[in-house]
């Protein structure tokens, strides 16, 4: 949407922050888990507040974000690509055409690049894992050693008396 055009609700009135957040929440509800819906609603609520504190009007901020249903669709798609999708939202998919909002893409998209760790860090991680495993084995032996020793002594005595 162009920057100078207001977002209109179905009844022809300009959409306010509350209506925007409500529509976004409803559109996200069928495609994401409730925790991801809450996280995204909170993020965009805070984003709107932050932009208003910077001097923009509510209408300018909402125009920048665009249609909340289209924004929700891009968030759901980004989460599906990242493997965090939950359920589907066919009714929403039928209503909104394809498109990607820049804010959702920047915030939620997973670009799939592998993370390269320095060699010293890999060596450190391996060393810590080995030390933890040795510690666990030693702890288990310390706990079960008395039982194992008693069992071995009993077996030895049984073997001696069987002869």
């Amino acid at each position: 949407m162009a920057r100078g055009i207001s977002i209109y609700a179905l009844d022809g009135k300009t959409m306010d922050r509350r209506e925007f957040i409500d529509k976004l929440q409803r559109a996200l509800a069928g495609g994401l888990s409730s925790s991801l819906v809450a996280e995204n609603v909170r993020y965009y609520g805070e984003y709107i507040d932050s932009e208003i504190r910077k001097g923009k009007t509510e209408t300018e901020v909402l125009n920048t974000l665009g249609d909340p249903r289209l924004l929700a669709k891009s968030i759901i798609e980004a989460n599906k690509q990242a493997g965090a999708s939950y359920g589907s939202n066919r009714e929403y998919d039928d209503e909104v055409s394809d498109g990607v909002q820049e804010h959702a893409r920047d915030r939620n998209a997973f670009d799939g690049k592998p993370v390269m760790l320095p060699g010293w860090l890999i060596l450190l991680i391996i060393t810590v894992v080995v030390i933890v495993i040795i510690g666990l084995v030693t702890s288990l032996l310390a706990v079960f050693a008395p039982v194992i020793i008693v069992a071995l002594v009993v077996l030895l005595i049984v073997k001696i008396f069987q002869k």
Side-chain angles (χ1 to χ4, degrees), residues 10 16 38 48 51 55 162:
L10 293 176
D16 67 4
I48 293 167
E51 292 299 304
Q162 281 182 351

Side-chain angles (χ1 to χ4, degrees), residues 8-57:
Y8 291 97
L10 293 176
D11 59 4
K13 294 181 192 173
T14 304
M15 188 182 316
D16 67 4
R17 177 187 193 275
R18 182 187 49 78
E19 290 171 310
F20 180 90
I21 294 295
D22 287 345
K23 284 186 179 191
L24 178 65
Q25 185 171 13
R26 281 195 309 269
L28 289 171
L32 297 176
S33 67
S34 58
S35 63
L36 284 174
V37 170
E39 178 184 331
N40 279 283
V41 167
R42 185 183 70 251
Y43 170 81
Y44 283 100
E46 290 171 0
Y47 174 80
I48 293 167
D49 291 340
S50 149
E51 292 299 304
I52 291 172
R53 282 192 300 272
K54 291 178 184 175
K56 293 183 180 177
T57 67

Side-chain angles (χ1 to χ4, degrees), residues 134-150:
I134 290 172
L136 287 173
V137 170
T138 305
S139 296
L140 288 175
L141 284 176
V143 169
F144 292 113
V147 175
I148 293 171
I149 291 172
V150 169

Side-chain angles (χ1 to χ4, degrees), residues 74-90:
S74 64
I75 292 169
I76 292 167
E77 289 302 314
N79 277 287
K80 283 181 184 176
Q81 290 176 2
S85 64
Y86 178 79
S88 66
N89 195 350
R90 286 196 181 110

